[in-house]
Amino acid sequence: MALDYPLPKLIIEHRGLSKLKSTYTDKLPLMVDPATKRIHTSYHQAVTATGRLSSTDPNLQNIPIRSQEGRRIRQAFVAPEGYKLVAADYSQIELRIMAHLSQDKGLLNAFAHGEDIHKATAAEVFGVGLDQVSTEQRRSAKAINFGLIYGMSAFGLGKQLGVGRNEAQKYIDHYFATYPGVQHYMDDIRMKAAENGYVETLFGRRLYLPEIKASNGMRRQAAERTAINAPMQGTAADIIKRAMVKVDDWLLSSDSGARMIMQVHDELILEVPEAKVAEVSTTLVELMQGLRSWMYRYWWKPEPVITGTRRTDCKRVSPNFC
DNA sequence: GAGGGGAGCGCG
DNA sequence: AAAGCGCGCTCCCCTC
C-alpha cells in the first residue's frame, strides 16, 4: 500500500526512523563503559543453529548501514586517536561455498575467472553476453543467487522480483539448466538430510533436523530449506572462526599494536596504529584467505595467554566470564 | 516488577 | 495454509 498511498508510506518511514532512534541513537550513548570510554559487546559461541556467533548488550552485528539515515549512526564508530579501523570481509563467501560443495563446473569457472558473479549468472540465465547484461537482469540474478542459498521457491522469488510465479519459475529452471551441479547438490542434500537426520558443514559440525521427515508438508519443507542453507552458512561460520584464531595468534606474536575488535559474520574489524595499516592489512587478508596457516607457526613461540573479559553483569555464559 | 510472546525492523 | 536462512532489540500486551 505504501507504493500507492501517502499514509502507509509515512507509517513505514516512521517505523524505520523510530527503530533507529530507540535502538541506536538513544541507547548506544548510555552503554559507553565509564572505565574504558568504549562500547563493549558480548559474543556468544553456543547460540545459533548454524555456528555463527551472536552479539548482545548491545548487538553490534546489526548496526545500520543499508539506509542513508542508518549510515549516519555507523559514522559514530571511530578509531582511537592514532589508529584506523580496518575491516576485511569475505566476498560472496556463501556462493563460493556452494560452488565448492556442488562442484558445479559453471559456477566454479565463474569464480575462478574472478567474474562479477551476479552479472555472470545473469549472462548465463538470460542467454546474453557479459557486456549485454542490463541492470535489471543483474538485479534479478542477484535475487536468484541469494534466494537459492535460502532454498527459496518460485513464489518467493516472484514476490521478491515483482514478477509472476510462472515467470519466476522460468528463471529458476534456467538457473538449474545453467548450473546443473547446483540442482544436483540441492536434491542430494535433501536426501542425505532425510537419510541421516542431520546435515553438516565442510568441517563436520552437524545440525540435526528432526522435522526433515515430518508428515506435515509445511514443516518438512522448512526443514529442507534449513538443510540447504545450513551447510553454506555454517561452513562460512567455520571459516571465519578459524581465521579469527589465526589472526589472534598472529596479533599476540607480533608487536603491531593492532587489536581484533569485532566480527560481523563475514567480516573482521581491527583497530590498527596508523603506521601499521598497510602491513597489518596484508597479513590480515592472507590469514583470512588461509594462505599462511602453517607458515607463521615457524616464527611464533606460543605462550600461555589468558583471553576474555571479566564482567560482573554477564547474563549468559557464567557469572564472571563472557 | 519480571518475564513471555508477537510484530516489526536492524544486520549478514 | 504457506510458500527465504540466521540472529537481537524495542514496543506492546499480557500474565503472574
Side-chain angles (χ1 to χ4, degrees), chain A residues 79-80 82-87 251 256-259 261 269-281 284:
Chain A
Y83 286 74
K84 293 251 189 214
L85 294 180
V86 171
L251 291 177
S256 65
R259 291 186 286 257
I261 57 175
I269 299 164
L270 277 62
E271 59 180 27
V272 183
E274 278 173 23
K276 305 280 186 168
V277 165
E279 176 197 330
V280 168
S281 301
L284 176 61

Side-chain angles (χ1 to χ4, degrees), chain A residues 1-13:
Chain A
M1 288 178 76
L3 297 176
D4 295 322
Y5 299 96
L7 179 58
K9 182 164 182 247
L10 202 58
I11 290 172
I12 303 259
E13 265 176 43

Side-chain angles (χ1 to χ4, degrees), chain A residues 165-207:
Chain A
R165 220 201 110 105
N166 293 333
E167 182 75 4
Q169 188 59 55
K170 271 192 219 162
Y171 293 169
I172 293 176
D173 292 343
H174 273 126
Y175 181 93
F176 284 135
T178 307
Y179 302 118
V182 175
Q183 169 84 282
H184 183 264
Y185 170 74
M186 304 257 169
D187 296 340
D188 192 52
I189 197 76
R190 278 193 196 91
M191 259 178 41
K192 281 199 178 125
E195 198 178 302
N196 300 326
Y198 62 84
V199 292
E200 55 188 16
T201 66
L202 193 60
F203 301 98
R205 191 168 36 70
R206 290 180 186 177
L207 177 63

Side-chain angles (χ1 to χ4, degrees), chain A residues 122-165:
Chain A
E124 294 285 355
V125 170
F126 297 108
V128 299
L130 267 178
D131 303 338
Q132 268 85 55
V133 174
S134 70
T135 313
E136 183 64 20
Q137 286 171 329
R138 187 181 181 280
R139 208 175 60 81
S140 298
K142 189 174 172 180
I144 294 171
N145 278 332
F146 273 105
L148 276 165
I149 290 173
Y150 305 144
M152 195 164 57
S153 67
F155 176 90
L157 182 63
K159 207 163 113 184
Q160 172 80 31
L161 293 177
V163 303
R165 220 201 110 105

